[in-house]
Amino acid sequence: MKNCIYIFLLLTQTFWAQSVFDKGNEHYRKGNYQEAINAYESIIKGKKESCDLYFNLANSYYKLNQIAPAIYYYEKALLISPNDKDIQNNLKFAKNSTIDDIKTVEKVGFERALRNFTELVHYNTWGYISVALAVLFLLFFIGYYFSQTSLVKRIFFLGMFVIPFLIIAAIGAAIFEKNLYETERPAIVFAEVISVKNEPRENATDAFILHEGTKVFVLETVENWKKIQLTDETEGWILSEAIKELK
């Protein structure tokens, strides 16, 4: 009985979220961007999320020239669908409206090659790939066992030799990406302008100035201060209320 009630409530919430999402889309099409935002955010308050929800919410904020929340929700959408070209393009447009021009320190050599490989797909996708490769290995084993000719047997044997290395690579990429996802703490600056300090206290000297929409990475927290790092590896302390973490 409890399971039936749970399923009923889940279906009710799903239908409600879809209905509100459709209303938000209708508001957006009519140019009522604030009403669209209200609709989308009511879904988020109901503990629902999706790539399309975050993307449409970001577009609504961008239309109202509210850059920080626009970038925030584009980044949230990318966390769910990191290879979506529409989200990536819209995020670039939004970032062009920010004041801070922070350079990115690029990795080089083997570290860069490894990162280029592992970030090709989401860590869940790497998991699916490893499972598919395991199934493929089983099929190659069956083919090798039942093949009648030596040439075909050699082909299947070669496949059985290569596939385990591919499985190990896929599992390793999944673990690497998942660890990176869990340890990395990206955030967006929401304060219009904020002084970043050299120490976690109000009267500390200023390290640099940041403006809304800039992406930072949280390293640690001390009371109401967060130590952040920029993409150029510059570090400093910022008030917790000035930023909003993506995860």
Side-chain angles (χ1 to χ4, degrees):
M1 183 64 180
K2 289 183 179 179
N3 289 337
C4 292
I5 295 175
Y6 175 77
I7 293 172
F8 173 77
L9 292 175
L10 182 62
L11 290 174
T12 300
Q13 291 178 347
T14 301
F15 287 132
W16 170 82
Q18 184 61 50
S19 175
V20 176
F21 182 71
D22 291 340
K23 288 180 181 178
N25 292 344
E26 183 64 26
H27 284 306
Y28 184 88
R29 284 191 291 270
K30 292 180 179 179
N32 301 324
Y33 303 120
Q34 186 57 57
E35 286 79 0
I37 289 171
N38 295 339
Y40 296 141
E41 289 191 336
S42 69
I43 300 174
I44 295 174
K45 290 177 181 177
K47 307 299 182 182
K48 301 290 183 181
E49 67 171 8
S50 71
C51 179
D52 289 339
L53 173 61
Y54 288 140
F55 181 65
N56 290 3
L57 181 53
N59 287 337
S60 300
Y61 273 117
Y62 184 73
K63 289 291 187 179
L64 294 178
N65 200 34
Q66 297 185 38
I67 302 304
I71 291 176
Y72 177 82
Y73 285 110
Y74 283 136
E75 293 279 7
K76 291 280 284 185
L78 277 180
L79 288 176
I80 298 175
S81 183
N83 297 315
D84 191 297
K85 297 301 181 183
D86 290 334
I87 302 173
Q88 292 173 356
N89 291 334
N90 285 20
L91 178 58
K92 287 180 181 179
F93 281 116
K95 285 184 174 180
N96 287 337
S97 300
T98 60
I99 296 175
D100 300 322
D101 183 19
I102 313 296
K103 305 300 181 184
T104 299
V105 176
E106 297 290 346
K107 306 297 183 183
V108 295
F110 175 75
E111 187 177 3
R112 180 66 263 174
L114 176 64
R115 191 71 185 97
N116 285 340
F117 173 69
T118 61
E119 69 181 1
L120 286 173
V121 294
H122 191 269
Y123 61 81
N124 283 336
T125 305
W126 280 121
Y128 298 141
I129 291 173
S130 63
V131 172
L133 287 170
V135 173
L136 184 61
F137 177 83
L138 178 61
L139 293 176
F140 269 66
F141 175 79
I142 294 173
Y144 173 80
Y145 186 82
F146 288 103
S147 295
Q148 302 297 318
T149 62
S150 59
L151 176 61
V152 176
K153 276 185 174 292
R154 288 173 185 171
I155 293 173
F156 281 123
F157 180 80
L158 180 62
M160 290 169 58
F161 180 77
V162 173
I163 291 175
F165 291 98
L166 298 178
I167 293 174
I168 292 172
I171 293 175
I175 293 173
F176 180 85
E177 282 295 305
K178 191 171 191 301
N179 287 339
L180 184 64
Y181 178 85
E182 292 177 346
T183 56
E184 199 174 59
R185 296 173 61 188
I188 303 298
V189 176
F190 268 67
E192 185 175 353
V193 58
I194 185 74
S195 296
V196 181
K197 304 291 185 176
N198 285 313
E199 299 177 64
R201 51 190 176 87
E202 284 283 0
N203 59 351
T205 57
D206 292 348
F208 49 90
I209 303 294
L210 289 180
H211 301 82
E212 64 173 327
T214 299
K215 186 176 183 179
V216 300
F217 295 89
V218 178
L219 301 179
E220 60 178 294
T221 303
V222 175
E223 296 181 349
N224 63 328
W225 292 88
K226 293 184 185 293
K227 187 177 184 180
I228 60 169
Q229 184 180 68
L230 306 182
T231 53
D232 64 359
E233 298 186 351
T234 303
E235 297 181 2
W237 292 87
I238 193 171
L239 285 168
S240 299
E241 63 192 33
I243 63 175
K244 191 172 181 180
E245 293 195 46
L246 288 161
K247 295 187 284 188

